[in-house]
């Protein structure tokens, strides 16, 4: 079983309008609502790949039942630590010029008692798990070292997969992590420097290896991805597809890469599965994840080269 831990769920409301002007009335052309959170997206991707998966994390009493309904539809079992308040709602407005205007909410605070409760829940479920996925931001007021505290409660034989950045990632790496999946922008922000060439990107990945990662899967968007374990550096170019939405693409990559890792897949397998799922996700405008058929179609077309 793979345990996926979400520390900051959110509701993404994507609204298309003809134009957007301050102080004016607008009519909605289309509206899509996603019940999301990076680790929950990964859990849904794993379920679509027919992996045995379990979701946990913080959830909020005000509107958390909507997430329960979504996970039930996707066949993902769960156990949340329930907190007071409402899940934050992020609004994304897209106008006729394809300009994106975002209004991001903030999550309620999670007190120390609830934080400790989640560590106990994760520790107990992790004993029955082959891997734990931890990704995304923290609830308001939480310290970045919570990543390290939570991962330290996981048995040493359990695979750890982390998708985060900055101080949260540094905290996680101190515990030893089997796979981390930054994208280029996240890696640059984490290392606080631009990474323009392939050599610079690989050097950035090596810094994460030196800090405690066993493997680094670097997402490069439509260009594909790089994976390295410090001994081998591999690259896979994504195939050309119609890009309908980037929602959940990175989380799909985490899901498929984790499944490949848990299954004993090679470095090539982890890379190809990750790229296939990330690519398949951008073809799905009405979902936060990807379809298994599209994933398998893209996977069969991918190639890997040594760099």
């Amino acid at each position: 079983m793979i345990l996926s831990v979400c520390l900051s769920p959110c509701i993404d409301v994507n609204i298309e309008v003809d134009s957007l002007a301050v102080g004016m009335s607008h009519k909605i052309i289309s509206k899509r609502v996603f019940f999301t959170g990076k680790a929950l997206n990964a859990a849904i991707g794993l379920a679509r790949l027919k992996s045995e998966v379990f979701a946990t994390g913080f959830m909020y009493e005000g509107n958390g039942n909507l997430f329960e309904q979504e996970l039930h539809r996707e066949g993902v079992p769960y156990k949340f630590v329930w907190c007071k308040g409402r899940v934050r709602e992020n609004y994304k407005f897209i106008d006729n010029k394809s300009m994106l205007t975002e209004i991001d909410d903030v999550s309620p605070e999670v007190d120390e008692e609830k934080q400790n409760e989640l560590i106990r829940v994760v520790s107990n479920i992790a004993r029955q798990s082959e891997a734990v996925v931890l990704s995304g931001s923290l609830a308001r007021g939480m310290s970045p070292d919570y990543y390290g505290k939570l991962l330290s409660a996981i048995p040493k034989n359990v695979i750890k997969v982390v998708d985060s950045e900055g101080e949260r990632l540094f905290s996680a790496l101190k515990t030893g992590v089997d796979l981390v999946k930054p994208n280029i922008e996240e890696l640059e922000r984490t290392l606080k420097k631009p990474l323009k060439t392939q050599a610079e990107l690989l050097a950035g990945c090596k810094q994460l290896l030196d800090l405690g990662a066993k493997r680094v899967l670097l997402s490069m968007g439509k260009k594909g991805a790089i994976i390295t374990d410090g001994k081998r550096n591999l690259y896979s170019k994504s195939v050309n597809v119609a890009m309908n939405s980037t929602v959940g693409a990175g989380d799909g990559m985490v899901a498929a890469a984790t499944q490949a890792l848990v299954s004993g897949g090679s470095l090539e397998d982890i890379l190809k599965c990750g790229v296939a799922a990330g690519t398949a996700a951008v073809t799905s405008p009405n979902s936060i994840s990807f379809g298994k058929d599209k994933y398998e179609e893209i996977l069969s077309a991918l190639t890997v080269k040594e760099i």
Side-chain angles (χ1 to χ4, degrees):
M1 181 176 75
I2 299 170
L3 174 63
S4 195
V5 186
C6 181
L7 304 177
S8 185
C10 67
I11 299 173
D12 280 350
V13 183
N14 293 2
I15 297 173
E16 183 183 355
V17 293
D18 184 52
S19 62
L20 190 62
V22 175
M24 301 294 292
S25 292
H26 302 85
K27 287 190 176 180
I28 293 174
I29 296 173
S30 69
K31 177 180 177 181
R32 292 178 290 176
V33 181
F34 301 103
F35 303 98
T36 182
K38 291 177 70 63
L40 296 181
N41 299 347
I44 290 171
L46 283 160
R48 292 186 178 186
L49 291 173
K50 307 304 179 185
S51 279
E52 184 183 359
V53 62
F54 194 94
T56 190
F58 298 121
M59 192 52 68
Y60 299 92
E61 296 169 356
N63 50 1
N65 64 304
L66 299 171
F67 288 79
E68 291 184 301
Q69 293 171 19
E70 182 76 8
L71 292 173
H72 181 72
R73 279 194 296 269
E74 294 286 351
V76 178
Y78 56 86
K79 178 181 180 179
F80 292 122
V81 171
W82 288 89
C83 307
K84 293 180 179 179
R86 293 177 59 83
V87 177
R88 60 195 172 102
E89 298 179 4
N90 299 329
Y91 291 85
K92 299 180 177 162
F93 297 90
I94 303 170
D95 65 16
N96 57 2
K97 297 179 182 177
S98 297
M99 291 291 291
L100 175 65
T101 301
E102 299 187 64
I103 302 173
D104 291 339
D105 200 356
V106 294
S107 69
E109 290 189 16
V110 176
D111 64 33
E112 188 174 354
E113 182 182 343
K114 294 293 185 181
Q115 293 179 36
N116 291 334
E117 182 182 344
L118 181 59
I119 290 174
R120 292 193 294 271
V121 168
V122 169
S123 179
N124 289 334
I125 301 174
R127 294 191 187 106
Q128 310 158 46
S129 305
E130 295 174 273
V132 172
V133 174
L134 180 59
S135 61
S137 59
L138 294 165
R140 184 158 53 102
M142 290 181 67
S143 170
D145 67 3
Y146 189 77
Y147 257 64
K149 290 179 181 178
L150 194 149
L151 291 171
S152 295
I154 294 168
K156 294 188 183 300
N157 63 325
V158 175
I159 292 168
K160 300 173 186 175
V161 178
V162 172
D163 181 9
S164 193
E165 62 177 283
E167 294 301 319
R168 300 191 304 272
L169 179 55
F170 290 141
S171 176
L173 290 173
K174 291 176 183 177
T175 71
V177 177
D178 294 275
L179 177 69
V180 297
K181 189 224 65 72
N183 60 35
I184 294 174
E185 292 77 16
E186 290 166 341
L187 185 59
E188 289 179 327
R189 287 194 296 266
T190 297
L191 301 179
K192 297 181 179 178
K193 60 183 178 182
L195 303 168
K196 300 302 181 186
T197 67
Q198 188 177 85
E200 289 174 341
L201 291 171
L202 284 171
C205 291
K206 179 149 192 320
Q207 283 187 250
L208 300 187
L209 294 172
D210 291 341
L211 289 170
K214 292 182 181 177
R215 304 166 189 83
V216 178
L217 176 59
L218 179 65
S219 169
M220 301 190 295
K222 64 176 69 174
K223 293 181 180 178
I226 288 171
I227 194 168
T228 179
D229 61 0
K231 298 174 183 175
R232 302 177 67 207
N233 307 317
L234 305 176
Y235 168 71
S236 181
K237 186 180 185 300
S238 182
V239 299
N240 291 324
V241 295
M243 185 177 293
N244 293 307
S245 171
T246 58
V247 174
D251 308 321
M253 179 175 276
V254 168
T258 300
Q259 185 192 59
L261 181 57
V262 169
S263 302
S266 64
L267 211 59
E268 288 92 342
D269 294 331
I270 298 167
L271 175 60
K272 286 176 64 177
C273 290
V275 172
T279 305
V282 305
T283 68
S284 306
N286 298 311
S287 173
I288 57 173
S289 194
F290 54 87
K292 190 169 185 288
D293 290 345
K294 191 66 176 179
Y295 162 79
E296 291 175 343
E297 174 193 328
I298 293 169
L299 181 62
S300 66
L302 294 177
T303 58
V304 173
K305 71 174 184 176
E306 201 107 22
I307 55 174

